[in-house]
Amino acid sequence: MPFPYKKVVVIGATSGIGEAFANRLIDDGTFVIAVGRRKENLEALVQKHGHDKCQAVPFDITKLESIPHFATNIVNTHPDVDCIILNSGIQRKTDFSDPDSIDLDSVQLEVNTNYTAHLALTKAFLPFLQKKSTETALVYITSNLALVPILRCSNYCASKAALHQWILCLREQLKKTKVKVIEIFPPAVQTELHDEKHQPDIKNGRQIGMPLDEFTEEAYSGLVSGKDQIPVGMSKRAFDGFEVKRQEAFAHMLKIMGSGP
C-alpha cells in the first residue's frame, strides 16, 4: 500500500528521524519539502534526490513570530501540500536535585522546540488544510517518554507528554474534518539526539536504542496502513499496557461532558 499523501512538508529533516522519513517518502514517490535549521544538510538531501523530488526550505521553528509567514510561503508556493510531518525535537539533561545545574534558557528552548512550536505550526497550517476538499494529515513525532518518563531528561519527557495530551484533544476537535491527526511514538532511536555534543553526560550516544532504519520501516508501515497512533518498538509495551486504558477514560470524560460519541 503506498503512502496516501503526495506532497509532504517534513519539519526537522536535517538529520535522524526526519531525514530518514524524508528519504523514505521520496523513495516511495512522494514530493518532500524538507525543513530545518541546517541549510547544508537540506541541500545535501536535494542533491541526493534531485529538485524534481524535493525542495529545501531552511527555517528555525523556535522563531515563533516567523512561523505564520513561513507557513504562508509554503502553501502559496505549494498549494497541493496535503501532509505536514512535525518532527523537530531536542533533548537535554535536567537534574533538579542539582538546582545550580539547571539553565532556564535551555529549559525554555527545549519546551519551545518540542511543544510550543508544534502548536504554532499547527495553528499556522490548519486553515489551509481545513479548506482542502481531500483528506490531509498532521503527523506528530512524540516519544515513548511521553508515556513513561526517565529521570535524566525530565523536561524533555514533560514536553513530549504535553504534546501527546494536546494531540489527543486536537484529534477529537478535528474529528468532523478531513484533517487526520497522527501520532508516532518512537522508542530510543540511534540518532544524533543522544550525541555527546548535545548531551555531554552521554558517551557513545549514537549507539543507544533502536537502529534508525528499523524504526523508519516499522513507523512507515503504520503510516501507510492508515493508523492514527503508531507506537514503535518498546513503545508498544507502554501503549498497550496502559495508554489504551487511559484513552478509554478520556473518551468516557468526553461523553460525560457531552462532547464525545
Side-chain angles (χ1 to χ4, degrees), residues 35-123:
V35 178
R37 290 182 296 105
R38 288 171 288 183
K39 182 179 179 181
E40 65 279 8
N41 291 28
L42 299 178
E43 290 177 345
L45 186 71
V46 174
Q47 290 175 3
K48 176 181 179 180
H49 294 286
H51 291 275
D52 59 326
K53 296 181 180 179
C54 62
Q55 178 187 349
V57 180
F59 183 68
D60 182 353
I61 66 167
T62 65
K63 309 298 183 185
L64 301 179
E65 70 283 354
S66 299
I67 285 177
H69 182 66
F70 158 74
T72 297
N73 283 344
I74 291 288
V75 301
N76 285 346
T77 306
H78 300 277
D80 51 344
V81 161
D82 53 3
C83 178
I84 315 292
I85 297 179
L86 299 97
N87 164 73
S88 298
I90 60 173
Q91 184 183 102
R92 301 291 184 264
K93 180 181 179 180
T94 45
D95 181 1
F96 278 83
S97 70
D98 180 11
D100 290 341
S101 71
I102 301 300
D103 178 351
L104 289 179
D105 288 337
S106 177
V107 167
Q108 188 61 61
L109 178 62
E110 194 170 35
V111 171
N112 282 344
T113 305
N114 298 352
Y115 178 66
T116 311
H118 288 65
L119 274 60
L121 288 161
T122 301
K123 172 180 166 58

Side-chain angles (χ1 to χ4, degrees), residues 2 4 12 29 32 75 83 108 113 120-121 128 130 144 160 169 172 175 183 190 210 218 247 261:
V32 167
V75 301
C83 178
Q108 188 61 61
T113 305
L121 288 161
F128 166 78
Q130 288 175 311
N144 180 53
K160 291 292 189 176
C169 294
E172 185 67 22
K175 68 179 182 179
E183 182 175 5
Q190 294 174 5
M210 187 177 192
E218 186 174 335
Q247 291 188 29

